[in-house]
């Protein structure tokens, strides 16, 4: 039995990789849905938590974070719907794995870290994790607004270690504006233009 061995040139390999990234970029970008969904939910929850904490006597102002369940449901729904439209790519799988890992790390940080050491320590770590996912996504797809947003999130995460908990809530809101909502609308605009 004779086997043939084909050797790819560096340019051919690079073209294949670029094609995979372009395909996954189109699949992942779609209309910025995930960034807008999570950006607006986190913004609403953090501002609501801040307002309930500072302006009312409500005993459980953190209850507004249950809004994240809407995000989980919408993400699962959209992922199942999108699975039927797109071919599975290596880069697409990488992105799903990255954000799943970020989500799990955030949940562990909030549940274990938040209850053990306090949310004033957990929230800055959550911001750092959001920044990692956003930065890697931006670099992978060469989308500068995500990279800039991630750097902004990291700056705000650093600042959040040195401010009271109530201010951390506002920094979370600001970080979602620069890291998720603005890039999400830019993605949406780019998608409509393509």
């Amino acid at each position: 039995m004779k086997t043939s061995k084909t050797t790819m040139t560096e340019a051919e390999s690079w073209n294949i990789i670029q094609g995979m990234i372009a395909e996954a970029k189109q699949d992942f970008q779609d209309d910025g849905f995930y960034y807008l969904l999570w950006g607006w939910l986190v913004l609403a929850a953090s501002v609501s938590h801040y307002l309930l904490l500072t302006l009312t006597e409500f005993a459980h102002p953190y209850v507004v974070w249950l809004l994240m369940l809407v995000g989980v449901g919408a993400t699962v729904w959209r992922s199942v719907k999108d699975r039927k439209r797109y071919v599975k790519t290596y880069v697409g799988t990488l992105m799903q794995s990255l954000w799943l890992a970020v989500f799990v790390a955030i949940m562990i940080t909030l549940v274990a870290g938040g209850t053990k050491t306090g949310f004033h320590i957990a929230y800055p770590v959550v911001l750092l994790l959001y920044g990692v996912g956003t930065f890697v996504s931006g670099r992978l797809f060469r989308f500068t607004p995500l990279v800039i947003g991630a750097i902004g999130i990291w700056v705000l995460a650093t600042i959040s270690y040195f401010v009271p908990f109530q201010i951390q809530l506002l920094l979370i809101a600001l970080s979602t504006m620069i890291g998720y909502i603005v890039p999400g609308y830019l993605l949406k605009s780019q998608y409509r233009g393509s």
Side-chain angles (χ1 to χ4, degrees), residues 99-162:
W99 283 106
L100 179 60
V102 168
F103 176 76
V104 169
I106 286 171
M107 290 296 100
I108 291 169
T109 301
L110 290 173
V111 173
T115 56
K116 180 71 175 168
T117 62
F119 289 97
H120 66 287
I121 300 294
Y123 281 1
V125 175
V126 167
L127 285 176
L128 291 170
L129 293 168
Y130 274 140
V132 168
T134 305
F135 182 80
V136 172
S137 297
R139 292 289 295 154
L140 184 62
F141 295 124
R142 295 187 181 113
F143 191 66
T144 305
L146 284 175
V147 174
I148 292 169
I151 293 167
I153 292 169
W154 288 334
V155 168
L156 294 172
T158 304
I159 293 168
S160 69
Y161 279 107
F162 302 100

Side-chain angles (χ1 to χ4, degrees), residues 13-78:
S13 298
W14 182 247
N15 286 338
I16 290 172
I17 292 168
Q18 289 298 318
M20 289 171 56
I21 290 173
E23 183 181 335
K25 183 176 181 179
Q26 183 61 41
D27 289 355
F28 181 74
Q29 266 183 249
D30 65 335
D31 57 359
F33 174 80
Y34 297 106
Y35 287 105
L36 293 172
L37 169 71
W38 287 101
W40 282 112
L41 286 174
V42 171
L43 178 70
S46 57
V47 169
S48 298
H49 189 169
Y50 173 81
L51 293 173
L52 288 172
L53 186 64
T54 59
L55 301 178
T56 72
E57 297 295 322
F58 186 58
H60 306 287
Y62 53 82
V63 75
V64 295
W65 289 100
L66 290 174
L67 276 173
M68 299 308 104
L69 296 176
V70 172
V72 170
T75 297
V76 169
W77 171 79
R78 180 70 181 253

